[in-house]
Amino acid sequence: MINAMQARDTTLEAQAAFIAITKPPIEIKIPRPEPLPTLPGVSPFDYSYLPDALRDYVRDISERMQCPPDFAAVGVMVMMSTITGRKIGIRPMRNNDWTVILISGVLLWAIPAS
């Protein structure tokens, strides 16, 4: 025997099916995407941006791995920041002991074989 709730559910499902069949499909017009602007040229990496102690190390990595020097430089800078870890911080407020610790992360993305 069907109770009142089951009967109501059946009629709601039947109504929804009837509406889905008889209602015409909605047409959505999607505009064509605009072309992206051209990007400006990038100047070559200058090793003088690096600290003296890291300059030769980054040059060696980029030559051995055959990768752009800025990729090696970013990795080395993150490596140096993880070495300092929680040992170095900034105290932005003069009258309390709140310390901000450097947290660094990096994501390098490039076209394969670039």
Side-chain angles (χ1 to χ4, degrees):
M1 190 165 214
I2 298 176
N3 64 25
M5 290 297 283
Q6 289 175 339
R8 193 186 84 178
D9 288 342
T10 305
T11 55
L12 288 176
E13 288 175 7
Q15 288 174 357
F18 178 75
I19 290 171
I21 292 171
T22 57
K23 192 173 182 180
I26 299 172
E27 290 187 31
I28 300 174
K29 294 187 179 186
I30 300 173
R32 289 221 174 261
E34 296 178 12
L36 293 174
T38 58
L39 296 175
V42 178
S43 59
F45 182 77
D46 187 3
Y47 286 100
S48 66
Y49 297 150
L50 295 171
D52 295 335
L54 300 177
R55 204 169 287 149
D56 291 334
Y57 183 61
V58 170
R59 185 175 282 124
D60 183 50
I61 290 172
S62 66
E63 288 174 4
R64 288 176 189 244
M65 294 186 66
Q66 296 297 303
C67 69
D70 43 350
F71 281 26
V74 168
V76 168
M77 295 306 287
V78 170
M79 177 187 70
M80 295 305 292
S81 68
T82 57
I83 289 171
T84 59
R86 296 181 47 90
K87 297 179 181 108
I88 297 175
I90 300 169
R91 291 201 170 156
M93 298 185 142
R94 185 178 299 181
N95 298 325
N96 67 15
D97 62 350
W98 177 47
T99 305
V100 178
I101 304 297
L102 173 68
I103 299 174
S104 62
V106 68
L107 171 68
L108 287 176
W109 179 79
I111 298 170
S114 65

